[in-house]
PDB file of all heavy atoms in Angstrom:
ATOM      1  N   GLY A 136     159.498  61.029 330.769  1.00 97.00           N
ATOM      2  CA  GLY A 136     160.084  59.722 330.488  1.00 97.00           C
ATOM      3  C   GLY A 136     159.972  59.274 329.051  1.00 97.00           C
ATOM      4  O   GLY A 136     160.612  58.300 328.665  1.00 97.00           O
ATOM      5  N   ASP A 137     159.161  59.975 328.244  1.00 98.00           N
ATOM      6  CA  ASP A 137     159.102  59.653 326.814  1.00 98.00           C
ATOM      7  C   ASP A 137     160.394  60.103 326.145  1.00 98.00           C
ATOM      8  O   ASP A 137     161.047  61.048 326.595  1.00 98.00           O
ATOM      9  CB  ASP A 137     157.929  60.366 326.130  1.00 98.00           C
ATOM     10  CG  ASP A 137     156.575  59.794 326.509  1.00 98.00           C
ATOM     11  OD1 ASP A 137     156.521  58.679 327.064  1.00 98.00           O
ATOM     12  OD2 ASP A 137     155.563  60.487 326.261  1.00 98.00           O
ATOM     13  N   LEU A 138     160.725  59.453 325.044  1.00 98.00           N
ATOM     14  CA  LEU A 138     161.841  59.912 324.227  1.00 98.00           C
ATOM     15  C   LEU A 138     161.302  60.899 323.202  1.00 98.00           C
ATOM     16  O   LEU A 138     160.199  60.730 322.679  1.00 98.00           O
ATOM     17  CB  LEU A 138     162.515  58.753 323.497  1.00 98.00           C
ATOM     18  CG  LEU A 138     163.112  57.634 324.351  1.00 98.00           C
ATOM     19  CD1 LEU A 138     163.879  56.651 323.466  1.00 98.00           C
ATOM     20  CD2 LEU A 138     164.012  58.175 325.441  1.00 98.00           C
ATOM     21  N   ILE A 139     162.083  61.931 322.925  1.00 98.00           N
ATOM     22  CA  ILE A 139     161.718  62.889 321.883  1.00 98.00           C
ATOM     23  C   ILE A 139     162.805  62.816 320.815  1.00 98.00           C
ATOM     24  O   ILE A 139     163.995  62.852 321.131  1.00 98.00           O
ATOM     25  CB  ILE A 139     161.527  64.306 322.444  1.00 98.00           C
ATOM     26  CG1 ILE A 139     161.007  65.256 321.364  1.00 98.00           C
ATOM     27  CG2 ILE A 139     162.780  64.830 323.129  1.00 98.00           C
ATOM     28  CD1 ILE A 139     160.459  66.565 321.905  1.00 98.00           C
ATOM     29  N   ILE A 140     162.390  62.637 319.577  1.00 98.00           N
ATOM     30  CA  ILE A 140     163.311  62.363 318.471  1.00 98.00           C
ATOM     31  C   ILE A 140     163.293  63.533 317.476  1.00 98.00           C
ATOM     32  O   ILE A 140     162.228  64.039 317.108  1.00 98.00           O
ATOM     33  CB  ILE A 140     162.921  61.061 317.735  1.00 98.00           C
ATOM     34  CG1 ILE A 140     162.735  59.897 318.732  1.00 98.00           C
ATOM     35  CG2 ILE A 140     163.953  60.715 316.667  1.00 98.00           C
ATOM     36  CD1 ILE A 140     163.977  59.485 319.482  1.00 98.00           C
ATOM     37  N   PHE A 141     164.497  63.900 317.041  1.00 97.00           N
ATOM     38  CA  PHE A 141     164.660  64.999 316.087  1.00 97.00           C
ATOM     39  C   PHE A 141     165.516  64.558 314.909  1.00 97.00           C
ATOM     40  O   PHE A 141     166.215  63.547 314.979  1.00 97.00           O
ATOM     41  CB  PHE A 141     165.370  66.187 316.756  1.00 97.00           C
ATOM     42  CG  PHE A 141     164.666  66.725 317.955  1.00 97.00           C
ATOM     43  CD1 PHE A 141     165.013  66.294 319.221  1.00 97.00           C
ATOM     44  CD2 PHE A 141     163.658  67.658 317.819  1.00 97.00           C
ATOM     45  CE1 PHE A 141     164.376  66.789 320.346  1.00 97.00           C
ATOM     46  CE2 PHE A 141     163.007  68.168 318.935  1.00 97.00           C
ATOM     47  CZ  PHE A 141     163.367  67.730 320.201  1.00 97.00           C
ATOM     48  N   THR A 142     165.481  65.370 313.865  1.00 96.00           N
ATOM     49  CA  THR A 142     166.441  65.197 312.777  1.00 96.00           C
ATOM     50  C   THR A 142     167.807  65.659 313.269  1.00 96.00           C
ATOM     51  O   THR A 142     167.928  66.227 314.365  1.00 96.00           O
ATOM     52  CB  THR A 142     166.069  66.058 311.562  1.00 96.00           C
ATOM     53  OG1 THR A 142     166.242  67.439 311.906  1.00 96.00           O
ATOM     54  CG2 THR A 142     164.653  65.813 311.108  1.00 96.00           C
ATOM     55  N   GLY A 143     168.817  65.466 312.436  1.00 92.00           N
ATOM     56  CA  GLY A 143     170.097  66.108 312.693  1.00 92.00           C
ATOM     57  C   GLY A 143     169.965  67.580 312.344  1.00 92.00           C
ATOM     58  O   GLY A 143     168.857  68.100 312.187  1.00 92.00           O
ATOM     59  N   THR A 144     171.085  68.257 312.180  1.00 88.00           N
ATOM     60  CA  THR A 144     171.027  69.695 311.917  1.00 88.00           C
ATOM     61  C   THR A 144     170.611  70.040 310.487  1.00 88.00           C
ATOM     62  O   THR A 144     170.242  71.171 310.217  1.00 88.00           O
ATOM     63  CB  THR A 144     172.390  70.350 312.216  1.00 88.00           C
ATOM     64  OG1 THR A 144     173.399  69.687 311.461  1.00 88.00           O
ATOM     65  CG2 THR A 144     172.721  70.263 313.695  1.00 88.00           C
ATOM     66  N   ASP A 145     170.645  69.058 309.578  1.00 90.00           N
ATOM     67  CA  ASP A 145     170.203  69.282 308.200  1.00 90.00           C
ATOM     68  C   ASP A 145     168.698  69.042 308.133  1.00 90.00           C
ATOM     69  O   ASP A 145     168.246  67.896 308.184  1.00 90.00           O
ATOM     70  CB  ASP A 145     170.954  68.350 307.249  1.00 90.00           C
ATOM     71  CG  ASP A 145     170.555  68.545 305.791  1.00 90.00           C
ATOM     72  OD1 ASP A 145     169.689  69.417 305.517  1.00 90.00           O
ATOM     73  OD2 ASP A 145     171.097  67.831 304.932  1.00 90.00           O
ATOM     74  N   LEU A 146     167.930  70.123 308.022  1.00 88.00           N
ATOM     75  CA  LEU A 146     166.465  70.003 308.036  1.00 88.00           C
ATOM     76  C   LEU A 146     165.915  69.231 306.847  1.00 88.00           C
ATOM     77  O   LEU A 146     164.806  68.707 306.905  1.00 88.00           O
ATOM     78  CB  LEU A 146     165.836  71.399 308.071  1.00 88.00           C
ATOM     79  CG  LEU A 146     166.055  72.207 309.355  1.00 88.00           C
ATOM     80  CD1 LEU A 146     165.493  73.604 309.204  1.00 88.00           C
ATOM     81  CD2 LEU A 146     165.421  71.509 310.538  1.00 88.00           C
ATOM     82  N   LYS A 147     166.667  69.157 305.755  1.00 89.00           N
ATOM     83  CA  LYS A 147     166.191  68.428 304.584  1.00 89.00           C
ATOM     84  C   LYS A 147     166.300  66.920 304.761  1.00 89.00           C
ATOM     85  O   LYS A 147     165.627  66.160 304.083  1.00 89.00           O
ATOM     86  CB  LYS A 147     166.986  68.868 303.349  1.00 89.00           C
ATOM     87  CG  LYS A 147     166.761  70.324 302.982  1.00 89.00           C
ATOM     88  CD  LYS A 147     167.655  70.740 301.834  1.00 89.00           C
ATOM     89  CE  LYS A 147     167.507  72.220 301.565  1.00 89.00           C
ATOM     90  NZ  LYS A 147     168.468  72.703 300.581  1.00 89.00           N
ATOM     91  N   ASP A 148     167.161  66.497 305.656  1.00 92.00           N
ATOM     92  CA  ASP A 148     167.356  65.073 305.920  1.00 92.00           C
ATOM     93  C   ASP A 148     166.472  64.679 307.096  1.00 92.00           C
ATOM     94  O   ASP A 148     166.766  64.987 308.248  1.00 92.00           O
ATOM     95  CB  ASP A 148     168.833  64.801 306.251  1.00 92.00           C
ATOM     96  CG  ASP A 148     169.113  63.314 306.460  1.00 92.00           C
ATOM     97  OD1 ASP A 148     168.158  62.506 306.408  1.00 92.00           O
ATOM     98  OD2 ASP A 148     170.280  62.975 306.701  1.00 92.00           O
ATOM     99  N   ARG A 149     165.360  64.010 306.802  1.00 94.00           N
ATOM    100  CA  ARG A 149     164.364  63.700 307.830  1.00 94.00           C
ATOM    101  C   ARG A 149     164.620  62.366 308.510  1.00 94.00           C
ATOM    102  O   ARG A 149     163.696  61.678 308.928  1.00 94.00           O
ATOM    103  CB  ARG A 149     162.958  63.736 307.235  1.00 94.00           C
ATOM    104  CG  ARG A 149     162.568  65.031 306.564  1.00 94.00           C
ATOM    105  CD  ARG A 149     162.709  66.242 307.462  1.00 94.00           C
ATOM    106  NE  ARG A 149     161.726  66.246 308.549  1.00 94.00           N
ATOM    107  CZ  ARG A 149     161.701  67.141 309.530  1.00 94.00           C
ATOM    108  NH1 ARG A 149     162.634  68.078 309.595  1.00 94.00           N
ATOM    109  NH2 ARG A 149     160.783  67.084 310.465  1.00 94.00           N
ATOM    110  N   THR A 150     165.866  61.999 308.670  1.00 95.00           N
ATOM    111  CA  THR A 150     166.202  60.791 309.419  1.00 95.00           C
ATOM    112  C   THR A 150     166.596  61.190 310.837  1.00 95.00           C
ATOM    113  O   THR A 150     167.088  62.295 311.068  1.00 95.00           O
ATOM    114  CB  THR A 150     167.344  60.004 308.755  1.00 95.00           C
ATOM    115  OG1 THR A 150     168.488  60.858 308.639  1.00 95.00           O
ATOM    116  CG2 THR A 150     166.933  59.511 307.374  1.00 95.00           C
ATOM    117  N   PRO A 151     166.384  60.302 311.816  1.00 96.00           N
ATOM    118  CA  PRO A 151     166.707  60.635 313.206  1.00 96.00           C
ATOM    119  C   PRO A 151     168.180  60.988 313.378  1.00 96.00           C
ATOM    120  O   PRO A 151     169.061  60.306 312.851  1.00 96.00           O
ATOM    121  CB  PRO A 151     166.353  59.353 313.961  1.00 96.00           C
ATOM    122  CG  PRO A 151     165.341  58.661 313.102  1.00 96.00           C
ATOM    123  CD  PRO A 151     165.754  58.973 311.692  1.00 96.00           C
ATOM    124  N   GLY A 152     168.427  62.067 314.137  1.00 95.00           N
ATOM    125  CA  GLY A 152     169.800  62.486 314.364  1.00 95.00           C
ATOM    126  C   GLY A 152     170.045  63.064 315.745  1.00 95.00           C
ATOM    127  O   GLY A 152     171.180  63.370 316.099  1.00 95.00           O
ATOM    128  N   HIS A 153     168.985  63.214 316.540  1.00 97.00           N
ATOM    129  CA  HIS A 153     169.149  63.770 317.891  1.00 97.00           C
ATOM    130  C   HIS A 153     167.982  63.283 318.745  1.00 97.00           C
ATOM    131  O   HIS A 153     166.885  63.054 318.237  1.00 97.00           O
ATOM    132  CB  HIS A 153     169.173  65.302 317.847  1.00 97.00           C
ATOM    133  CG  HIS A 153     169.528  65.932 319.154  1.00 97.00           C
ATOM    134  ND1 HIS A 153     170.769  65.783 319.739  1.00 97.00           N
ATOM    135  CD2 HIS A 153     168.802  66.709 320.013  1.00 97.00           C
ATOM    136  CE1 HIS A 153     170.798  66.446 320.883  1.00 97.00           C
ATOM    137  NE2 HIS A 153     169.617  67.015 321.072  1.00 97.00           N
ATOM    138  N   SER A 154     168.234  63.114 320.056  1.00 97.00           N
ATOM    139  CA  SER A 154     167.178  62.622 320.944  1.00 97.00           C
ATOM    140  C   SER A 154     167.327  63.207 322.335  1.00 97.00           C
ATOM    141  O   SER A 154     168.402  63.660 322.725  1.00 97.00           O
ATOM    142  CB  SER A 154     167.207  61.088 321.006  1.00 97.00           C
ATOM    143  OG  SER A 154     168.500  60.628 321.384  1.00 97.00           O
ATOM    144  N   GLY A 155     166.222  63.188 323.071  1.00 98.00           N
ATOM    145  CA  GLY A 155     166.217  63.686 324.440  1.00 98.00           C
ATOM    146  C   GLY A 155     165.136  62.973 325.242  1.00 98.00           C
ATOM    147  O   GLY A 155     164.443  62.095 324.733  1.00 98.00           O
ATOM    148  N   ILE A 156     164.991  63.390 326.501  1.00 98.00           N
ATOM    149  CA  ILE A 156     164.010  62.796 327.405  1.00 98.00           C
ATOM    150  C   ILE A 156     163.024  63.885 327.816  1.00 98.00           C
ATOM    151  O   ILE A 156     163.427  64.937 328.341  1.00 98.00           O
ATOM    152  CB  ILE A 156     164.681  62.218 328.662  1.00 98.00           C
ATOM    153  CG1 ILE A 156     165.732  61.177 328.288  1.00 98.00           C
ATOM    154  CG2 ILE A 156     163.637  61.621 329.605  1.00 98.00           C
ATOM    155  CD1 ILE A 156     166.633  60.756 329.451  1.00 98.00           C
ATOM    156  N   VAL A 157     161.735  63.655 327.585  1.00 98.00           N
ATOM    157  CA  VAL A 157     160.694  64.610 327.963  1.00 98.00           C
ATOM    158  C   VAL A 157     160.645  64.716 329.489  1.00 98.00           C
ATOM    159  O   VAL A 157     160.684  63.698 330.193  1.00 98.00           O
ATOM    160  CB  VAL A 157     159.326  64.180 327.401  1.00 98.00           C
ATOM    161  CG1 VAL A 157     158.216  65.114 327.882  1.00 98.00           C
ATOM    162  CG2 VAL A 157     159.360  64.143 325.867  1.00 98.00           C
ATOM    163  N   ILE A 158     160.538  65.948 330.002  1.00 97.00           N
ATOM    164  CA  ILE A 158     160.527  66.147 331.454  1.00 97.00           C
ATOM    165  C   ILE A 158     159.250  66.827 331.951  1.00 97.00           C
ATOM    166  O   ILE A 158     159.146  67.157 333.131  1.00 97.00           O
ATOM    167  CB  ILE A 158     161.760  66.952 331.916  1.00 97.00           C
ATOM    168  CG1 ILE A 158     161.750  68.360 331.320  1.00 97.00           C
ATOM    169  CG2 ILE A 158     163.047  66.226 331.574  1.00 97.00           C
ATOM    170  CD1 ILE A 158     162.809  69.284 331.927  1.00 97.00           C
ATOM    171  N   THR A 159     158.284  67.056 331.068  1.00 95.00           N
ATOM    172  CA  THR A 159     157.035  67.719 331.468  1.00 95.00           C
ATOM    173  C   THR A 159     155.839  66.866 331.069  1.00 95.00           C
ATOM    174  O   THR A 159     155.918  66.033 330.167  1.00 95.00           O
ATOM    175  CB  THR A 159     156.903  69.093 330.797  1.00 95.00           C
ATOM    176  OG1 THR A 159     157.083  68.948 329.381  1.00 95.00           O
ATOM    177  CG2 THR A 159     157.933  70.065 331.338  1.00 95.00           C
ATOM    178  N   ASN A 160     154.732  67.103 331.734  1.00 92.00           N
ATOM    179  CA  ASN A 160     153.468  66.462 331.396  1.00 92.00           C
ATOM    180  C   ASN A 160     152.492  67.515 330.889  1.00 92.00           C
ATOM    181  O   ASN A 160     152.565  68.676 331.316  1.00 92.00           O
ATOM    182  CB  ASN A 160     152.850  65.781 332.626  1.00 92.00           C
ATOM    183  CG  ASN A 160     153.553  64.489 332.992  1.00 92.00           C
ATOM    184  OD1 ASN A 160     154.164  63.834 332.154  1.00 92.00           O
ATOM    185  ND2 ASN A 160     153.480  64.119 334.253  1.00 92.00           N
ATOM    186  N   PRO A 161     151.545  67.118 329.984  1.00 89.00           N
ATOM    187  CA  PRO A 161     150.530  68.071 329.543  1.00 89.00           C
ATOM    188  C   PRO A 161     149.753  68.568 330.767  1.00 89.00           C
ATOM    189  O   PRO A 161     149.625  67.835 331.741  1.00 89.00           O
ATOM    190  CB  PRO A 161     149.634  67.239 328.630  1.00 89.00           C
ATOM    191  CG  PRO A 161     150.432  66.027 328.290  1.00 89.00           C
ATOM    192  CD  PRO A 161     151.385  65.805 329.400  1.00 89.00           C
ATOM    193  N   PRO A 162     149.242  69.797 330.736  1.00 91.00           N
ATOM    194  CA  PRO A 162     149.195  70.712 329.600  1.00 91.00           C
ATOM    195  C   PRO A 162     150.434  71.606 329.486  1.00 91.00           C
ATOM    196  O   PRO A 162     150.427  72.557 328.700  1.00 91.00           O
ATOM    197  CB  PRO A 162     147.958  71.563 329.897  1.00 91.00           C
ATOM    198  CG  PRO A 162     147.923  71.641 331.388  1.00 91.00           C
ATOM    199  CD  PRO A 162     148.448  70.308 331.876  1.00 91.00           C
ATOM    200  N   LYS A 163     151.464  71.356 330.258  1.00 93.00           N
ATOM    201  CA  LYS A 163     152.685  72.166 330.156  1.00 93.00           C
ATOM    202  C   LYS A 163     153.311  71.995 328.781  1.00 93.00           C
ATOM    203  O   LYS A 163     153.176  70.953 328.151  1.00 93.00           O
ATOM    204  CB  LYS A 163     153.690  71.756 331.220  1.00 93.00           C
ATOM    205  CG  LYS A 163     153.275  72.105 332.639  1.00 93.00           C
ATOM    206  CD  LYS A 163     154.352  71.696 333.619  1.00 93.00           C
ATOM    207  CE  LYS A 163     153.965  72.054 335.033  1.00 93.00           C
ATOM    208  NZ  LYS A 163     154.974  71.621 336.020  1.00 93.00           N
ATOM    209  N   ALA A 164     154.004  73.037 328.331  1.00 94.00           N
ATOM    210  CA  ALA A 164     154.733  72.954 327.066  1.00 94.00           C
ATOM    211  C   ALA A 164     155.799  71.872 327.181  1.00 94.00           C
ATOM    212  O   ALA A 164     156.327  71.606 328.272  1.00 94.00           O
ATOM    213  CB  ALA A 164     155.384  74.300 326.752  1.00 94.00           C
ATOM    214  N   VAL A 165     156.105  71.245 326.063  1.00 96.00           N
ATOM    215  CA  VAL A 165     157.068  70.147 326.062  1.00 96.00           C
ATOM    216  C   VAL A 165     158.481  70.690 326.297  1.00 96.00           C
ATOM    217  O   VAL A 165     158.989  71.498 325.515  1.00 96.00           O
ATOM    218  CB  VAL A 165     157.024  69.359 324.737  1.00 96.00           C
ATOM    219  CG1 VAL A 165     158.111  68.293 324.706  1.00 96.00           C
ATOM    220  CG2 VAL A 165     155.648  68.727 324.554  1.00 96.00           C
ATOM    221  N   GLN A 166     159.085  70.231 327.382  1.00 97.00           N
ATOM    222  CA  GLN A 166     160.494  70.493 327.652  1.00 97.00           C
ATOM    223  C   GLN A 166     161.207  69.144 327.696  1.00 97.00           C
ATOM    224  O   GLN A 166     160.605  68.120 328.026  1.00 97.00           O
ATOM    225  CB  GLN A 166     160.692  71.218 328.987  1.00 97.00           C
ATOM    226  CG  GLN A 166     160.272  72.664 328.977  1.00 97.00           C
ATOM    227  CD  GLN A 166     160.683  73.372 330.263  1.00 97.00           C
ATOM    228  OE1 GLN A 166     160.661  72.779 331.331  1.00 97.00           O
ATOM    229  NE2 GLN A 166     161.042  74.625 330.152  1.00 97.00           N
ATOM    230  N   PHE A 167     162.483  69.164 327.380  1.00 98.00           N
ATOM    231  CA  PHE A 167     163.241  67.919 327.379  1.00 98.00           C
ATOM    232  C   PHE A 167     164.662  68.184 327.829  1.00 98.00           C
ATOM    233  O   PHE A 167     165.193  69.284 327.676  1.00 98.00           O
ATOM    234  CB  PHE A 167     163.216  67.258 325.994  1.00 98.00           C
ATOM    235  CG  PHE A 167     163.712  68.134 324.872  1.00 98.00           C
ATOM    236  CD1 PHE A 167     165.011  68.025 324.393  1.00 98.00           C
ATOM    237  CD2 PHE A 167     162.875  69.071 324.282  1.00 98.00           C
ATOM    238  CE1 PHE A 167     165.468  68.830 323.361  1.00 98.00           C
ATOM    239  CE2 PHE A 167     163.333  69.889 323.245  1.00 98.00           C
ATOM    240  CZ  PHE A 167     164.625  69.764 322.781  1.00 98.00           C
ATOM    241  N   VAL A 168     165.269  67.145 328.415  1.00 98.00           N
ATOM    242  CA  VAL A 168     166.668  67.205 328.813  1.00 98.00           C
ATOM    243  C   VAL A 168     167.448  66.378 327.804  1.00 98.00           C
ATOM    244  O   VAL A 168     167.000  65.304 327.389  1.00 98.00           O
ATOM    245  CB  VAL A 168     166.874  66.718 330.275  1.00 98.00           C
ATOM    246  CG1 VAL A 168     166.400  65.291 330.469  1.00 98.00           C
ATOM    247  CG2 VAL A 168     168.324  66.871 330.699  1.00 98.00           C
ATOM    248  N   HIS A 169     168.594  66.893 327.378  1.00 97.00           N
ATOM    249  CA  HIS A 169     169.369  66.210 326.345  1.00 97.00           C
ATOM    250  C   HIS A 169     170.820  66.628 326.431  1.00 97.00           C
ATOM    251  O   HIS A 169     171.154  67.622 327.087  1.00 97.00           O
ATOM    252  CB  HIS A 169     168.797  66.525 324.955  1.00 97.00           C
ATOM    253  CG  HIS A 169     168.805  67.988 324.602  1.00 97.00           C
ATOM    254  ND1 HIS A 169     169.342  68.485 323.434  1.00 97.00           N
ATOM    255  CD2 HIS A 169     168.334  69.083 325.259  1.00 97.00           C
ATOM    256  CE1 HIS A 169     169.193  69.797 323.393  1.00 97.00           C
ATOM    257  NE2 HIS A 169     168.593  70.186 324.481  1.00 97.00           N
ATOM    258  N   SER A 170     171.666  65.871 325.768  1.00 97.00           N
ATOM    259  CA  SER A 170     173.080  66.229 325.697  1.00 97.00           C
ATOM    260  C   SER A 170     173.333  66.839 324.326  1.00 97.00           C
ATOM    261  O   SER A 170     173.213  66.169 323.300  1.00 97.00           O
ATOM    262  CB  SER A 170     173.971  64.997 325.910  1.00 97.00           C
ATOM    263  OG  SER A 170     175.327  65.383 325.929  1.00 97.00           O
ATOM    264  N   SER A 171     173.672  68.117 324.333  1.00 95.00           N
ATOM    265  CA  SER A 171     173.857  68.881 323.110  1.00 95.00           C
ATOM    266  C   SER A 171     175.332  69.118 322.859  1.00 95.00           C
ATOM    267  O   SER A 171     176.106  69.317 323.792  1.00 95.00           O
ATOM    268  CB  SER A 171     173.132  70.223 323.238  1.00 95.00           C
ATOM    269  OG  SER A 171     173.591  71.139 322.278  1.00 95.00           O
ATOM    270  N   SER A 172     175.712  69.153 321.588  1.00 91.00           N
ATOM    271  CA  SER A 172     177.102  69.449 321.245  1.00 91.00           C
ATOM    272  C   SER A 172     177.470  70.886 321.587  1.00 91.00           C
ATOM    273  O   SER A 172     178.629  71.251 321.581  1.00 91.00           O
ATOM    274  CB  SER A 172     177.364  69.190 319.756  1.00 91.00           C
ATOM    275  OG  SER A 172     176.537  70.013 318.960  1.00 91.00           O
ATOM    276  N   ASN A 173     176.473  71.697 321.887  1.00 89.00           N
ATOM    277  CA  ASN A 173     176.738  73.066 322.346  1.00 89.00           C
ATOM    278  C   ASN A 173     176.178  73.221 323.757  1.00 89.00           C
ATOM    279  O   ASN A 173     175.037  73.590 323.943  1.00 89.00           O
ATOM    280  CB  ASN A 173     176.094  74.087 321.413  1.00 89.00           C
ATOM    281  CG  ASN A 173     176.415  75.509 321.823  1.00 89.00           C
ATOM    282  OD1 ASN A 173     177.352  75.754 322.571  1.00 89.00           O
ATOM    283  ND2 ASN A 173     175.626  76.448 321.344  1.00 89.00           N
TER     284      ASN A 173
END
Side-chain angles (χ1 to χ4, degrees):
D137 288 345
L138 300 186
I139 186 165
I140 309 296
F141 302 95
T142 68
T144 55
D145 181 0
L146 293 175
K147 295 175 185 173
D148 183 357
R149 304 305 291 175
T150 58
H153 188 65
S154 55
I156 302 169
V157 176
I158 63 170
T159 52
N160 285 335
K163 291 182 179 178
V165 175
Q166 287 188 324
F167 56 98
V168 59
H169 60 128
S170 184
S171 163
S172 61
N173 183 18

